[in-house]
Amino acid sequence: MQQRDMQLLQEMGLTHWQIRKPECFPAWAQSVIDLPDSCQLLLVTPDEMDEHDAWLFGNILRSMKLSPEQALTLPPHALSELGEHHLTWCWFAGCQGVEPSDCQILHSASLRQMHDHPASKKALWQQICAFND
């Protein structure tokens, strides 16, 4: 796809698309997101993190005995492009999506909502503990 075509799609508000008949475009290859082997947790969220969200995310990672280097974030629409992975956890925060196979799935409110709702943090922690039992 040429740059001009991509710009037109973006101007129309289309940031994600899928070709229905890829056999008609043999030169075009769908992008695949390959996670590094070190990635143990994938946070799926439509929101961009601010400093406060990053602080909370870091605390949750520490409680799971993970470092920030072992976690990545993706928006929900990018999950369809996920390639091979070695994930232990996939956490959907404030959204739903296609769940990757062979990992433990967590669902919670968005990080922003969790700041003011201790019950949301507790529910997430209970899910994490249930997998560790």
Side-chain angles (χ1 to χ4, degrees):
M1 184 174 290
Q2 294 186 6
Q3 182 65 28
R4 184 180 60 83
D5 296 331
M6 290 173 60
Q7 184 178 358
L8 285 172
L9 289 171
Q10 288 175 346
E11 287 175 7
M12 291 188 295
L14 300 172
T15 58
H16 185 73
W17 58 88
Q18 181 176 13
I19 295 177
R20 290 186 186 208
K21 295 184 180 181
E23 64 273 6
C24 294
F25 302 94
W28 189 80
Q30 185 174 358
S31 62
V32 175
I33 298 172
D34 288 320
L35 300 177
D37 290 345
S38 62
C39 183
Q40 296 295 306
L41 182 139
L42 181 64
L43 175 64
V44 181
T45 181
D47 305 321
E48 290 190 30
M49 278 194 254
D50 61 17
E51 285 183 33
H52 204 119
D53 297 338
W55 174 83
L56 177 60
F57 184 55
N59 284 343
I60 293 169
L61 287 175
R62 276 191 295 283
S63 73
M64 297 173 75
K65 296 182 177 43
L66 295 172
S67 67
E69 294 78 28
Q70 293 175 296
L72 290 174
T73 304
L74 278 181
H77 71 276
L79 282 175
S80 62
E81 300 170 16
L82 189 61
E84 294 292 319
H85 62 81
H86 301 284
L87 292 171
T88 304
W89 303 93
C90 184
W91 171 12
F92 291 87
C95 65
Q96 299 291 321
V98 178
E99 297 177 357
S101 60
D102 300 326
C103 64
Q104 299 167 355
I105 306 296
L106 303 170
H107 292 276
S108 75
S110 69
L111 287 170
R112 284 193 185 108
Q113 291 174 337
M114 291 176 79
H115 293 296
D116 299 322
H117 298 96
S120 297
K121 289 186 255 187
K122 181 179 179 181
L124 175 63
W125 182 246
Q126 288 171 337
Q127 290 177 63
I128 294 167
C129 290
F131 282 115
N132 291 326
D133 287 340

